[in-house]
Amino acid sequence: MRGKKRYIKLTETQREALQSGFEKGKKAVFRKRCHMILLSAQGFGIQQISALYQLSRMRVGYWFDRYEQGGVEALKTNRGQGRPPILRIDNEADVNEVEHLVDQNAQNLKPALAELERKGKPMSKRTLQRFLKKLDDVGNDFEEVL
């Protein structure tokens, strides 16, 4: 035997909070982390949980440590993780620039993409289309308020 088996012991309120996070959490990774803690409380070992979720034993242990230090909130992914967006809807300069470029060539996005790339904002055609769709959705939300 290598060492002492590690399990998380939960109170009823902790169990309910984790169960709620597992069932209703917005992000899949958060739901998975809640489930790992719940499985540990049910008697599953780190080795079994790591095999189930195809994670390293160290990674499972890391999330156990995070839970013990900060509770359910510590299982959430912190802000600022991932790649920052190329264009932001809340940045008025980006919105005005894209609208101007698209208005010049409404039927063809290639010139707008070339100009954006020249200005240091390279992106795919699909990224630009998603940004324009978000702009349209934001505009529709604004019109509903009026």
Side-chain angles (χ1 to χ4, degrees):
M1 185 158 25
R2 287 181 141 152
K4 186 177 174 188
K5 299 269 185 197
R6 182 175 178 190
Y7 300 102
I8 304 286
K9 291 188 171 89
L10 300 174
T11 64
E12 192 57 37
T13 56
Q14 290 173 327
R15 186 180 310 278
E16 288 172 5
L18 284 166
Q19 191 66 36
S20 176
F22 174 56
E23 292 172 357
K24 300 174 185 170
K26 290 183 180 180
K27 303 283 184 179
V29 292
F30 174 68
R31 293 190 303 267
K32 177 170 51 170
R33 293 167 188 164
C34 288
H35 193 225
M36 286 192 293
I37 305 300
L38 287 168
L39 288 173
S40 175
Q42 293 172 6
F44 288 84
I46 288 180
Q47 189 71 34
Q48 293 169 310
I49 295 170
S50 66
L52 177 69
Y53 278 111
Q54 297 179 346
L55 297 170
S56 69
R57 291 174 54 243
M58 288 180 64
R59 180 56 47 186
V60 175
Y62 169 79
W63 288 111
F64 282 13
D65 292 341
R66 286 273 302 259
Y67 177 75
E68 289 173 339
Q69 291 170 1
V72 176
E73 289 298 314
L75 298 177
K76 293 182 178 177
T77 303
N78 295 330
R79 288 195 53 76
Q81 301 297 311
R83 181 179 180 187
I86 298 169
L87 299 171
R88 296 183 57 91
I89 290 183
D90 57 353
N91 184 343
E92 197 171 321
D94 284 348
V95 171
N96 291 337
E97 181 180 16
V98 169
E99 284 179 341
H100 176 70
L101 291 172
V102 171
D103 284 344
Q104 288 178 343
N105 298 303
Q107 297 296 317
N108 187 3
L109 293 178
K110 286 183 182 180
L113 286 169
E115 184 63 23
L116 287 168
E117 186 167 351
R118 189 183 68 73
K119 292 183 177 185
K121 296 182 181 180
M123 69 184 82
S124 69
K125 182 178 177 183
R126 183 70 187 119
T127 300
L128 182 57
Q129 289 171 335
R130 283 194 306 269
F131 182 76
L132 292 171
K133 183 170 179 159
K134 284 182 185 178
L135 279 180
D136 189 40
D137 289 343
V138 168
N140 290 340
D141 290 344
F142 182 69
E143 290 169 4
E144 289 174 9
V145 173
L146 297 175

